[in-house]
Amino acid sequence: MASRHLSRSIAMQSLYEWDFSEKKANLEKIIEKNIKEFGPGLEDTSLAWQIVTGVVKYLAELDKIIEKAAPEWPLSQITIVDRNVLRIGLFELIYSDKEEVPPKVAINEAIELAKSFGGESSGRFVNGVLGTVYKELEKK
């Protein structure tokens, strides 16, 4: 597994665990544990940390974007996996350096995370939401 994809997987698993605890668990300890457990030999862990800290920093904005892009799905009704995959995808789509993470890469990586960790329709759902946001960003 490529190190960038592995970093995203570790970020997703960490955000999932934190969200599952209703954001009460110590996120730093969760990330450290997940890096040890799922990323032995991962030399550069900075992307995982960057994604997690970025998602937390922009959490309120990311959640508003999800609610606007998927109005039929209240945030509380979106599965924890899908919700956090969307947060990661949106963070990379909106706030990442476009040279480092082109928009289509951010979307494709999020879809792959959704397929790996989510349910049967997670990939399509994530693709639809991120595609909607991407079209809006292109208009601007």
Side-chain angles (χ1 to χ4, degrees):
M1 183 182 298
S3 63
R4 292 182 67 80
H5 183 74
L6 178 57
S7 293
R8 287 181 180 97
S9 295
I10 291 169
M12 202 295 299
Q13 290 168 301
S14 301
L15 288 166
Y16 173 93
E17 194 174 332
W18 180 66
D19 199 3
F20 187 80
S21 76
E22 297 178 353
K23 302 176 187 78
K24 293 177 183 150
N26 183 318
L27 187 53
E28 284 187 23
K29 286 183 181 177
I30 293 171
I31 298 167
E32 289 169 1
K33 173 186 67 84
N34 286 338
I35 288 171
K36 282 181 190 165
E37 187 173 337
F38 302 113
L42 183 64
E43 292 176 20
D44 184 6
T45 60
S46 62
L47 180 62
W49 285 99
Q50 178 185 341
I51 291 170
V52 170
T53 56
V55 166
V56 171
K57 178 179 179 180
Y58 296 107
L59 188 65
E61 293 93 331
L62 297 171
D63 286 352
K64 285 179 189 169
I65 294 167
I66 294 168
E67 289 171 342
K68 186 177 177 190
E72 309 82 36
W73 289 93
L75 207 57
S76 62
Q77 290 182 7
I78 298 173
T79 67
I80 297 174
V81 168
D82 292 354
R83 185 167 57 226
N84 285 290
V85 168
L86 285 170
R87 288 169 175 160
I88 290 169
L90 287 170
F91 170 73
E92 289 201 296
L93 186 64
I94 297 167
Y95 300 106
S96 288
D97 177 2
K98 304 303 177 246
E99 296 290 317
E100 191 177 319
V101 184
K104 296 202 188 263
V105 171
I107 293 169
N108 287 335
E109 283 291 328
I111 292 167
E112 289 305 312
L113 286 174
K115 287 179 180 177
S116 296
F117 294 102
E120 194 176 305
S121 61
S122 292
R124 288 189 307 275
F125 178 66
V126 166
N127 185 30
V129 173
L130 295 180
T132 298
V133 173
Y134 178 64
K135 287 175 188 167
E136 286 298 312
L137 290 173
E138 278 192 316
K139 289 179 186 175
K140 295 177 183 176

